[in-house]
Amino acid sequence: MYHYINNLYQLELESGRLDFESDLGYREALRCFSVQYEDIYLAGDPKLCEALFSSCFDLEYYASRAAFSYGLRLGIALSRWGGGLSAL
């Protein structure tokens, strides 16, 4: 089982499916976060922290969504490999 999971992980890495940047929402949230972070850094304005805080939650949401969808695909692949849910 360990060998199969390692091979599946390597396949996901090599195929590019384990890639948050392929998620449009994640890329946009990361861009907004980066722009706001740079603005705060350059301006030194603590009021901009609220906008950064909001962007941080957006980034976390899209990262979680991308991680969940990857985990779901992995779980389905493992279920198929193991003979489906009846094998549990």
Side-chain angles (χ1 to χ4, degrees), residues 18-33:
L18 186 56
D19 180 21
F20 290 149
E21 284 75 20
S22 64
D23 185 286
L24 181 61
Y26 177 82
R27 280 197 322 260
E28 181 60 22
L30 181 60
R31 186 194 66 75
C32 288
F33 179 79

Side-chain angles (χ1 to χ4, degrees), residues 11-13 23 27 33 41 45 49 52 60 73 80 85:
L11 178 65
E12 293 297 309
L13 283 177
D23 185 286
R27 280 197 322 260
F33 179 79
Y41 178 77
D45 185 357
C49 286
L52 181 64
E60 184 273 333
R73 286 193 313 269
R80 286 181 183 158
L85 295 177

